[in-house]
């Protein structure tokens, strides 16, 4: 059984002016997401600035999200690391916190061979009962999970159940789904490829866009899965200018800015992320207005 079907929001981590995590605002954002149709909350992913959270903040944010969600939708925790032992630790802490699944990115910087990836994920899977979603995002990590590797992991590790595919390579994703033979749940990791990935057997998206358009993103997936392919495709195409604006600088700079533009006071970014360049900010504002979002 899939951890979730539909749109999972890769939620930002709101912060106070002193850059401490703003848990009151996180609760508000989670409530907004769930009331607007989010099918899952993904906490401490890339969009949540996990790479600049300490391990203590990381685990506390996961515990807070589980508490705030209160079983209304699944909570999936980002628990990946370039160190296998650290990933095991974070995943263990997430399991203790009561999450419904773990999203585990490939090792970054030191990277790994495909053999190393199999050992990395297998060791993590052996040390947890949580269902695991692999996270393939070569543009961030410098490392690609090849289709045969993902298929082998899904076949040999009972709790490796899904993959968030953000490679952008549709041909690769088609090959993966052919090799996996139904053994892996496929989620789009790119908001501009939701419908193409659904057409290859995907069951949802782990979304940046959903931070500011949760109902729209949910409905786009639901329409497709209900057989309304034309309507879903039209929604995908409508969203493209806004998605481009949300990635005109490195994620999560634009989306965290966009959340604040909607009046949520998401707070500052942590270095090395910086505030948006003025010309990009104007582009983002225009795209949000053209999409129909009401700026504060």
């Amino acid at each position: 059984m899939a951890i979730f079907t539909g749109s999972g929001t890769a939620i930002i981590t709101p912060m106070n002016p002193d850059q401490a995590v703003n848990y009151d605002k996180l609760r508000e954002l989670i409530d907004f997401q769930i009331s607007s149709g989010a099918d899952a909350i993904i906490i401490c992913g890339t969009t949540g600035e996990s790479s600049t959270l300490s391990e203590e903040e990381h685990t506390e944010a996961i515990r807070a999200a589980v508490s705030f969600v209160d079983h209304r939708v699944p909570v999936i925790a980002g628990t990946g690391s370039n160190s296998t032992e650290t990933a095991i630790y974070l995943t263990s802490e997430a399991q203790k916190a009561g999450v419904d699944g773990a999203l585990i990115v490939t090792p970054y910087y030191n990277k790994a061979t495909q053999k190393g990836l199999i050992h990395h994920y297998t060791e993590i899977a052996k040390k947890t009962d949580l269902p695991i979603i692999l996270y393939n995002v070569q543009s961030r990590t410098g490392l690609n999970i090849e289709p045969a590797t993902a298929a082998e992991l899904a076949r040999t590790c009972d709790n490796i159940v899904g993959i968030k595919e953000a490679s952008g390579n549709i041909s690769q994703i088609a090959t993966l789904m052919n090799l996996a033979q139904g053994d892996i749940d496929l989620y789009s990791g790119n908001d501009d490829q939701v419908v193409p990935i659904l057409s290859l057997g995907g069951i949802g998206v782990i979304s940046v866009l959903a931070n500011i358009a949760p109902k729209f993103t949910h409905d786009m997936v639901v329409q497709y899965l209900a057989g309304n392919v034309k309507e879903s495709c039209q929604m995908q195409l409508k969203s493209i200018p806004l998605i481009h604006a949300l990635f005109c600088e490195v994620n999560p700079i634009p989306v965290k800015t966009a959340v604040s533009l909607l009046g949520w006071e998401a707070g500052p970014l942590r270095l090395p992320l910086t505030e948006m360049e003025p010309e990009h900010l104007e582009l983002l504002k225009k795209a949000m207005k053209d999409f129909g979002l009401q700026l504060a």
Side-chain angles (χ1 to χ4, degrees):
M1 182 177 177
I3 303 175
F4 79 95
T5 300
S7 172
T9 303
I11 200 162
I12 66 160
T13 300
M15 294 178 185
N16 292 307
D18 65 357
Q19 297 197 351
V21 176
N22 186 338
Y23 290 104
D24 290 338
K25 190 62 62 178
L26 180 62
R27 182 194 292 271
E28 290 179 24
L29 289 172
I30 286 173
D31 286 343
F32 165 67
Q33 286 292 323
I34 295 173
S35 67
S36 301
D39 298 291
I41 298 294
I42 291 78
I43 188 74
C44 293
T46 304
T47 310
E49 297 179 78
S50 58
S51 57
T52 52
L53 297 175
S54 69
E55 287 185 10
E56 292 77 15
E57 289 174 318
H58 196 129
T59 55
E60 181 56 33
I62 291 169
R63 285 192 288 266
V66 171
S67 174
F68 298 158
V69 170
D70 193 23
H71 305 289
R72 289 176 287 174
V73 297
V75 176
I76 299 164
T79 59
S81 172
N82 64 332
S83 161
T84 304
E85 286 303 314
T86 301
I88 289 170
Y89 168 75
L90 291 173
T91 305
S92 174
E93 291 299 303
Q95 180 169 342
K96 292 175 189 175
V99 303
D100 299 281
L103 176 67
I104 302 182
V105 73
T106 55
Y108 38 86
Y109 188 70
N110 54 354
K111 305 196 289 186
T113 63
Q114 296 301 303
K115 177 182 176 182
L117 279 179
I118 289 170
H119 283 282
H120 174 75
Y121 281 113
T122 300
E123 283 301 306
I124 298 168
K126 282 169 22 180
K127 299 292 177 61
T128 184
D129 297 322
L130 288 174
I132 292 170
I133 300 174
L134 310 175
Y135 181 12
N136 192 30
V137 58
Q138 187 173 8
S139 63
R140 286 273 185 175
T141 66
L143 179 60
N144 181 49
I145 305 177
E146 293 179 4
T149 301
E152 179 176 344
L153 285 166
R155 185 170 57 251
T156 58
C157 300
D158 289 343
N159 56 334
I160 293 181
V161 299
I163 186 167
K164 175 186 176 182
E165 251 296 349
S167 67
N169 187 335
I170 294 295
S171 295
Q172 172 175 291
I173 296 166
T175 299
L176 164 62
M177 295 306 281
N178 170 260
L179 293 176
Q181 294 292 302
D183 286 338
I184 199 163
D185 292 328
L186 174 64
Y187 298 96
S188 175
N190 289 333
D191 284 313
D192 61 350
Q193 294 183 338
V194 178
V195 170
I197 286 176
L198 291 173
S199 76
L200 293 173
I203 61 171
V205 59
I206 295 176
S207 173
V208 174
L209 173 65
N211 278 278
I212 59 172
K215 184 178 187 304
F216 178 94
T217 312
H218 164 85
D219 289 349
M220 178 167 55
V221 177
V222 168
Q223 288 286 346
Y224 188 96
L225 296 178
N228 300 320
V229 175
K230 183 177 180 180
E231 291 84 347
S232 180
C233 185
Q234 289 172 339
M235 295 177 77
Q236 176 76 91
L237 296 177
K238 175 185 175 181
S239 69
I240 294 298
L242 178 56
I243 293 165
H244 286 171
L246 287 172
F247 289 89
C248 68
E249 292 188 21
V250 67
N251 181 49
I253 293 173
V255 71
K256 196 168 188 181
T257 304
V259 171
S260 290
L261 288 171
L262 293 178
W264 290 102
E265 299 176 7
L269 297 139
R270 285 187 177 175
L271 288 172
L273 300 184
T274 53
E275 301 306 316
M276 290 189 77
E277 297 296 331
E279 64 271 23
H280 292 154
L281 178 59
E282 292 308 310
L283 184 153
L284 176 62
K285 288 179 178 178
K286 182 180 185 304
M288 292 174 70
K289 290 176 182 176
D290 290 348
F291 188 77
L293 295 172
Q294 186 69 44
L295 274 59

